[in-house]
């Protein structure tokens, strides 16, 4: 292992082979994408590789500043793991950025034997021992999008405009347009993502349906439900609730039917997204689609997307923003944040957003 370096040296090095280690999760991967143009500008002759979970690799395909995607299978054998680490070493990277900061990615970073092994202050599980340089002001309380952008600051290019590039094919775009055009109503399109990895992030589907129904009644919105195949029962439930109050043609359920790039195309074609704190929230925000985000166990300041075009609504319970994957309360107070965050507050935020964008001519009018 090489000795520790000074941060001031990072904007002076001449790297030829760069590796970003950021396997997951979807939202974090999306928030890391803006550093790619910066790395390309700072190291125009370097090849850039990205270690990413195989289920998210599709999102990076075709990116103009990624030369190589290195997919990683989370559920793998010891033999696979050993070969994977050996392969990383053989690639002879000279600059490695571990923006995940967990034991697994720390081991990957150490295995590269790169001269420059850069990490963040929020690193856990001993991963910081793999680094010889840690970027300052990247601790746990720093907003996620800023945490990753500190790489740009360290390279002397922090004033560069952040941009999220996702390479969509004409086929992806046409697919999304054709799906949404089937609704045949010239009105704003509201995408809804009601899923989330943690149960403590999942605002009740009945409340999503209530807000969606109001959007259809007040603004004649078309609604498109998005999510994974595992979230299909959830979207089916919301769809059935909506059909009790609104015309069938106003609701389109695409959960489980999209690749990540098709999902991106759908979010681009949508005028708004109503969502929990989730990967699709950051994907939509990165692509320029206004978001109404719902925050229960997470903080909108730490985990929300930047920009005043978004409406971020948080619960007011005492344990709000505690980042518990399981609710610490028992009995009748279990998941009390879901009850406390009423549909009226979310509807006011979404209504305010739709009204503003329609008045500005940024959304279609029924």
């Amino acid at each position: 292992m090489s000795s520790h370096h000074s941060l001031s040296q990072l904007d002076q090095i001449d790297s030829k082979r760069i590796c970003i280690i950021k396997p997951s999760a979807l939202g974090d991967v999306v928030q890391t994408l803006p550093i790619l143009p910066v790395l390309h500008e700072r190291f125009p002759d370097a090849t850039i590789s990205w270690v990413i979970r195989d289920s998210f690799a599709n999102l990076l395909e075709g990116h103009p500043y990624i030369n190589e995607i290195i997919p990683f299978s989370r559920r793998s054998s010891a033999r696979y793991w050993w070969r994977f680490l050996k392969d990383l070493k053989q690639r002879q990277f000279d600059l490695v950025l571990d923006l995940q900061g967990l034991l697994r990615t720390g081991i990957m970073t150490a295995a590269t034997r790169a001269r420059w092994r850069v990490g963040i202050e929020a690193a856990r599980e001993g991963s910081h021992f793999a680094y010889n340089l840690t970027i300052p002001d990247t601790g746990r309380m720093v907003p996620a999008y800023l945490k990753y952008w500190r790489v740009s600051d360290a390279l002397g290019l922090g004033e560069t405009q952040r941009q999220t590039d996702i390479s969509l094919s004409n086929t992806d775009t046409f697919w999304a347009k054709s799906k949404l055009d089937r609704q045949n109503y010239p009105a704003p399109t509201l995408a809804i993502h009601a899923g989330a990895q943690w149960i403590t992030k999942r605002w009740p589907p009945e409340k999503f349906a209530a807000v969606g129904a109001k959007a259809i009644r007040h603004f004649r919105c078309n609604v498109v439900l998005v999510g994974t195949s595992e979230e299909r029962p959830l979207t089916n439930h919301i769809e059935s609730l909506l059909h009790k109050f609104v015309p069938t043609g106003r609701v389109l359920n695409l959960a489980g039917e999209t690749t990540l790039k098709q999902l991106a195309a759908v979010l681009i074609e949508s005028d708004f997204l109503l969502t929990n704190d989730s990967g699709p929230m950051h994907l939509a925000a990165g692509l320029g689609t206004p978001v109404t985000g719902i925050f229960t166990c997470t903080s909108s300041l730490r985990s929300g997307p930047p920009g005043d075009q978004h409406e971020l609504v948080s619960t007011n319970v005492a344990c709000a923003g505690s980042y518990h994957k399981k609710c610490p309360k028992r009995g009748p107070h279990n998941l009390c944040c879901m009850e406390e965050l009423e549909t009226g507050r979310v509807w006011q935020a979404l209504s305010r957003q739709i009204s503003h964008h329609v008045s500005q001519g940024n959304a279609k009018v029924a």
Side-chain angles (χ1 to χ4, degrees):
M1 291 291 182
S2 56
S3 60
H4 282 256
H5 297 292
S6 167
L7 181 66
S8 62
Q9 292 177 271
L10 192 56
D11 64 356
Q12 301 172 16
I13 67 173
D14 183 22
S15 177
K16 297 299 183 184
R17 293 186 61 80
I18 301 171
C19 181
I20 298 171
I21 299 180
K22 188 62 178 172
S24 63
L26 176 59
D28 291 326
V29 170
V30 171
Q31 292 179 97
T32 305
L33 285 171
I35 73 170
L36 286 169
V38 173
L39 288 172
H40 177 72
E41 180 177 347
R42 174 63 183 79
F43 307 103
D45 298 323
T47 60
I48 300 176
S49 303
W50 190 315
V51 174
I52 189 167
R53 189 186 298 178
D54 49 10
S55 57
F56 297 140
N58 168 254
L59 195 67
L60 303 184
E61 292 173 358
H63 194 287
Y65 300 134
I66 297 179
N67 301 97
E68 178 187 39
I69 299 170
I70 306 175
F72 172 74
S73 176
R74 186 176 182 181
R75 293 179 175 85
S76 53
S77 64
R79 186 177 183 182
Y80 170 91
W81 178 240
W82 175 256
R83 288 181 174 177
F84 184 84
L85 296 178
K86 184 179 180 181
D87 182 60
L88 286 180
K89 180 183 177 182
Q90 291 176 340
R91 292 169 189 268
Q92 299 182 326
F93 297 114
D94 47 36
L95 171 60
V96 173
L97 303 167
D98 177 10
L99 301 181
Q100 193 84 12
L102 296 176
L103 175 61
R104 180 184 292 110
T105 58
I107 293 173
M108 292 179 190
T109 302
T112 66
R113 301 297 179 96
R115 179 185 178 189
W116 299 88
R117 302 181 307 280
V118 182
I120 54 178
E121 292 176 336
R124 297 180 285 137
E125 301 177 352
S127 55
H128 64 281
F129 288 113
Y131 314 144
N132 52 25
L133 192 153
T134 300
I135 297 177
D137 198 17
T138 53
R140 190 170 60 90
M141 302 305 293
V142 176
Y145 74 91
L146 272 182
K147 194 182 305 176
Y148 310 132
W149 188 247
R150 297 295 187 222
V151 173
S152 303
D153 293 331
L155 293 173
L157 294 170
E159 298 303 315
T160 305
Q161 184 175 359
R162 295 176 75 255
Q163 60 185 72
T164 303
D165 293 320
I166 295 175
S167 179
L168 299 180
S169 67
N170 292 335
T171 301
D172 293 327
T173 301
F174 178 79
W175 183 90
K177 286 179 178 292
S178 64
K179 287 289 185 180
L180 269 57
D181 284 349
R182 290 180 186 177
Q183 292 178 299
N184 294 321
Y185 292 98
T189 296
L190 171 66
I192 294 179
H193 179 247
Q197 192 171 8
W198 305 352
I199 189 173
T200 48
K201 288 185 181 182
R202 298 178 205 149
W203 203 48
E206 295 79 10
K207 293 191 173 186
F208 271 103
V211 175
K214 284 180 176 288
I216 295 174
R217 290 179 186 140
H218 286 261
F219 295 102
R220 305 289 292 171
C221 284
N222 297 312
V223 170
V224 55
L225 303 172
V226 297
T228 64
S229 55
E230 290 79 11
E231 292 166 344
R232 185 74 189 202
L234 175 66
T235 59
N236 286 345
H237 181 45
I238 295 174
E239 183 180 19
S240 65
L241 291 173
L242 285 172
H243 285 166
K244 292 180 180 179
F245 306 104
V246 300
T248 302
R250 290 279 182 183
V251 183
L252 177 65
N253 191 348
L254 293 181
E257 297 184 13
T258 63
T259 65
L260 284 177
K261 286 197 174 185
Q262 287 173 334
L263 172 61
V266 167
L267 294 176
I268 288 175
E269 293 301 317
S270 300
D271 294 290
F272 313 97
L273 173 67
L274 173 65
T275 179
N276 292 315
D277 176 11
S278 63
M281 175 186 73
H282 292 291
L283 185 58
L287 295 170
T289 299
V291 164
T292 297
I294 299 168
F295 291 80
T296 49
C297 74
T298 56
S299 164
S300 61
L301 296 177
R302 286 174 56 189
S303 299
D308 56 9
Q309 73 272 36
H310 306 303
E311 292 276 353
L312 308 180
V313 189
S314 301
T315 182
N316 294 317
V317 298
C319 57
S322 59
Y323 288 81
H324 286 294
K325 294 183 180 181
K326 294 183 180 180
C327 181
K329 298 181 181 294
R330 299 293 180 264
H333 297 293
N334 184 252
L335 294 175
C336 60
C337 56
M338 306 298 175
E339 184 67 26
E340 190 278 337
L341 187 47
E342 300 175 345
T343 57
R345 287 181 57 207
V346 175
W347 165 242
Q348 288 173 7
L350 178 62
S351 176
R352 190 163 53 241
Q353 189 174 66
I354 297 177
S355 297
H356 173 73
H357 282 266
V358 168
S359 68
Q360 297 295 313
N362 296 325
K364 297 179 286 292
V365 180

